[in-house]
Amino acid sequence: MTSSNKSSKHRGLFNPKRIDKLKNKTAELLNRSIDQHINLAVTGLSRSGKTAFITSLVNQLINEGQGSQLSFFDPVQQGNFIAAKRIPQKHFRVPRFDYDSSISSLTALPAHWPEPTHGISELRLAIRYQPKASLLKYVKDMATLTVDITDYPGEWLLDLPMLKQTYQQWSEFTCELLSSKPRLDSSQKFLDKVAEIDPFAPANEEVLAELSKEYTQLLHTFRYELGLSVIQPGRFILPGELAGAPILEFFPFPALAELDGNDYQNASDDSVIGMLRARYLEYKEHVVRKFYRQHFVKFDRQIVLADCLTPLNNGKESFQDLEQAISMILESYSYGKSGLFSRIFSPKIDKLLFAATKADHVTPEQHAPMVSLFNELIHQSKNKLNFEAVEVQTLAIASVRTTQVGSTTHQGKTVPVLQGTVLDNNNNRDKKSQPPTGKNIMVFPGSVPEKLPQESYWQQNKFNFFNFSPIGGTSKNESLPHIRMDQVLQFLLADKML
Ligand SMILES: Nc1nc2c(ncn2[C@@H]2O[C@H](COP(=O)(O)OP(=O)(O)OP(=O)(O)O)[C@@H](O)[C@H]2O)c(=O)[nH]1
Ligand SMILES: [Mg+2]
């Protein structure tokens, strides 16, 4: 090769146009091969704070730089976060997460909390960042991480254990719950009515519909009046698109074990018991299993929100029920070989965040006990589960902080207090001491136990908190005040933005 040949070849190689072309080509290839997409699922029982959480998470990202407090989110801290925006969601048949009305209500004056939601919804975010550590930095100035966020009711996960139960087993489990405290007082009438029905008589659809309605009403009472968490079937109180469908018209039948086994097995689908059994099987197949197949298996990362403070406020029975519900919910993340889940579906979740919500209801030194209490709630089931392939973290958070922390002197000692605007008396056990709505108060709500409370705790418990109103009066383009949302973002997103 002559020297002029050589140099023209080099000129060709180092030709800036050619380098750019090469860069673009490589970037295109890398873009295709490097994972820059996350399916992020947010769940929790009703009123646990899912809507507030997603609204705050989106708000913090799209308004980054507008007063945002994201010190523990490395991409922002290290300067490689560029911007985030909402883009059209992926699945057009899944309802849209209504960010606009949520943020409007949280920033209005006076502000109010977003309305309860009743099913699944989605929102898609595109996050622009400058790759720092990954291969991408050599070829691209900017990369995009697409995040699909799904909000779905935790009650739907409570149905998972039904997949391994026959109608008879499920009826036994449920009737046992209905016949014990604290449910019995409300359910006695329903149980008596069902006990009078001949299980082998021809089914009367109207009667079954009426009793199903009564059973559903009972579930509403358990959840919203008694503050209980074990609600089955979950779709009965949060039916989503199935509202009014006959697939939701069944209920547990007492004392099935006392029936003749052959008679039960051979009961035709037209008999009372046959029809209830057929609907139960249909529900398992076409509602429970379908949700896992259609949605759950596609999630990469999961956030489980739990409001431990309200059950603590409500008392022993409510708290113990939450304990049982969490253990049922966690069955969905049982990835071990023996787990029911792994036998039915092949999951791919690699990060699981447990967030104890509404941490702004207690003074900051109570956050560590909140985390430790939540860990205890999870730990019980964790022993049975296998989180091998999954990174797990627990945090105490407030998606939307409603209180300021101050201090006062009590019997010569300085004690921390919270200052906030009272909303209503939903959480307050002692209605007489309820300050009027809209009043700005200073309180010490009490101590959170570090461990699962013993009997003595319930006897002396002085824990009592009020609902606070969001601060409001801010622009929708400003960041909402929060507690540890930056740590949430760090855990869920930062490793995909290197
Ligand atoms: N103080 C405080 N309260 C909160 C926070 N997040 C939620 N809440 C309270 O909890 C209630 C329920 O919050 P949502 O975000 O609607 O809960 P959800 O899980 O979406 O509830 P459903 O839509 O009914 O399933 C709100 O109305 C507030 O009263 C928070 O960060 N701080
Ligand atoms: Mg909601």
Side-chain angles (χ1 to χ4, degrees):
M1 197 183 286
T2 65
S3 69
S4 73
N5 255 353
K6 240 191 227 168
S7 67
S8 71
K9 187 165 183 198
H10 275 141
R11 259 205 313 278
L13 248 182
F14 294 110
N15 175 334
K17 270 196 189 150
R18 209 166 149 203
I19 291 176
D20 275 353
K21 212 167 151 191
L22 241 163
K23 262 182 156 184
N24 287 342
K25 192 83 201 152
T26 323
E28 207 183 293
L29 283 172
L30 281 171
N31 263 345
R32 265 187 241 144
S33 59
I34 291 183
D35 180 12
Q36 289 177 108
H37 176 256
I38 301 179
N39 274 322
L40 198 63
V42 179
T43 198
L45 296 176
S46 55
R47 320 311 294 139
S48 58
K50 300 180 291 295
T51 304
F53 175 85
I54 296 175
T55 306
S56 175
L57 185 141
V58 172
N59 166 274
Q60 307 301 334
L61 290 170
I62 63 178
N63 297 319
E64 200 287 313
Q66 307 298 318
S68 55
Q69 307 279 326
L70 300 177
S71 330
F72 285 96
F73 183 38
D74 286 349
V76 165
Q77 208 46 29
Q78 294 168 4
N80 53 327
F81 180 97
I82 298 172
K85 65 171 182 176
R86 289 185 288 150
I87 56 172
Q89 73 194 65
K90 186 161 129 198
H91 305 109
F92 298 127
R93 272 183 285 168
V94 176
R96 187 159 42 90
F97 179 86
D98 195 355
Y99 175 80
D100 293 304
S101 58
S102 291
I103 196 70
S104 297
S105 55
L106 290 169
T107 51
L109 197 62
H112 49 96
W113 291 101
E115 291 299 315
T117 49
H118 303 287
I120 192 163
S121 62
E122 273 189 8
L123 177 146
R124 179 175 261 202
L125 273 183
I127 306 173
R128 281 274 161 99
Y129 66 99
Q130 200 167 21
K132 285 244 158 109
S134 79
L135 275 175
L136 277 175
K137 78 172 176 183
Y138 296 108
V139 288
K140 264 198 119 189
D141 295 332
M142 230 194 292
T144 306
L145 169 67
T146 309
V147 186
D148 281 307
I149 304 173
T150 308
D151 170 352
Y152 69 94
E155 279 78 359
W156 294 3
L157 298 183
L158 286 176
D159 285 349
L160 183 79
M162 292 169 80
L163 288 181
K164 61 182 169 193
Q165 289 171 322
T166 62
Y167 174 65
Q168 192 171 1
Q169 288 165 332
W170 177 73
S171 284
E172 270 166 35
F173 167 78
T174 312
C175 288
E176 173 89 40
L177 270 185
L178 295 178
S179 321
S180 27
K181 275 188 91 169
R183 290 175 172 80
L184 183 60
D185 285 348
S186 323
S187 47
Q188 188 69 64
K189 233 168 92 192
F190 167 80
L191 288 171
D192 291 346
K193 257 192 208 170
V194 181
E196 279 181 13
I197 300 178
D198 172 2
F200 300 110
N204 176 332
E205 284 220 55
E206 266 172 47
V207 174
L208 294 195
E210 196 46 49
L211 285 166
S212 306
K213 221 186 208 169
E214 257 182 64
Y215 179 64
T216 308
Q217 197 46 50
L218 269 181
L219 295 181
H220 276 275
T221 307
F222 298 155
R223 179 74 191 132
Y224 300 110
E225 286 175 34
L226 305 187
L228 301 173
S229 304
V230 177
I231 301 298
Q232 253 188 0
R235 287 294 194 304
F236 279 35
I237 63 165
L238 291 158
E241 76 288 359
L242 293 174
I247 201 167
L248 302 189
E249 286 175 358
F250 66 91
F251 47 84
F253 204 93
L256 283 186
E258 288 163 24
L259 300 181
D260 178 276
N262 273 339
D263 289 350
Y264 174 73
Q265 289 308 333
N266 297 327
S268 81
D269 281 359
D270 304 337
S271 64
V272 170
I273 206 67
M275 191 169 281
L276 292 175
R277 184 177 56 198
R279 285 183 180 171
Y280 173 80
L281 294 177
E282 187 88 351
Y283 179 85
K284 286 203 316 183
E285 204 49 48
H286 295 287
V287 180
V288 184
R289 209 180 283 270
K290 190 171 158 203
F291 166 70
Y292 281 89
R293 222 184 284 124
Q294 261 189 354
H295 299 283
F296 198 88
V297 288
K298 298 187 183 126
F299 300 148
D300 305 313
R301 297 191 169 177
Q302 173 73 62
I303 302 121
V304 178
L305 302 177
D307 169 7
C308 305
L309 298 177
T310 305
L312 209 55
N313 227 28
N314 288 342
K316 181 177 160 189
E317 282 156 347
S318 174
F319 193 82
Q320 286 179 343
D321 216 66
L322 173 73
E323 218 177 308
Q324 190 177 355
I326 286 188
S327 129
M328 286 163 79
I329 285 176
L330 289 189
E331 281 206 34
S332 292
Y333 306 99
S334 171
Y335 293 164
K337 288 192 179 65
S338 58
L340 169 77
F341 186 72
S342 52
R343 274 183 272 129
I344 304 173
F345 320 99
S346 38
K348 53 175 187 158
I349 291 172
D350 64 348
K351 285 194 173 207
L352 185 51
L353 175 70
F354 292 103
T357 54
K358 314 181 190 177
D360 57 327
H361 274 304
V362 292
T363 43
E365 81 292 349
Q366 300 301 319
H367 294 172
M370 252 178 105
V371 169
S372 135
L373 178 68
F374 197 11
N375 272 333
E376 284 244 326
L377 280 171
I378 303 159
H379 190 74
Q380 301 257 320
S381 335
K382 230 176 171 179
N383 287 340
K384 285 183 262 152
L385 305 182
N386 181 352
F387 284 118
E388 257 168 29
V390 188
E391 197 182 329
V392 181
Q393 188 171 350
T394 314
L395 287 172
I397 66 160
S399 314
V400 184
R401 183 170 50 75
T402 58
T403 54
Q404 304 285 352
V405 182
S407 61
T408 188
T409 317
H410 181 64
Q411 295 172 347
K413 279 193 200 155
T414 307
V415 288
V417 284
L418 295 177
Q419 192 170 3
T421 306
V422 175
L423 185 61
D424 55 39
N425 63 356
N426 277 354
N427 287 323
N428 184 17
R429 273 178 295 129
D430 178 7
K431 311 283 183 219
K432 280 187 219 133
S433 67
Q434 170 70 24
T437 300
K439 189 173 161 61
N440 202 282
I441 55 161
M442 277 225 288
V443 278
F444 176 71
S447 304
V448 178
E450 270 177 336
K451 295 195 175 305
L452 296 177
Q454 302 298 309
E455 200 50 50
S456 56
Y457 174 85
W458 298 114
Q459 270 146 30
Q460 310 149 11
N461 180 19
K462 300 264 188 319
F463 190 72
N464 195 14
F465 71 79
F466 306 107
N467 265 339
F468 291 111
S469 162
I471 295 167
T474 51
S475 151
K476 289 178 202 165
N477 304 323
E478 268 173 57
S479 300
L480 293 165
H482 67 86
I483 299 173
R484 295 190 192 89
M485 284 302 286
D486 49 348
Q487 293 189 35
V488 166
L489 294 171
Q490 176 67 18
F491 179 73
L492 295 172
L493 306 182
D495 63 315
K496 297 280 183 185
M497 297 175 68
L498 297 175

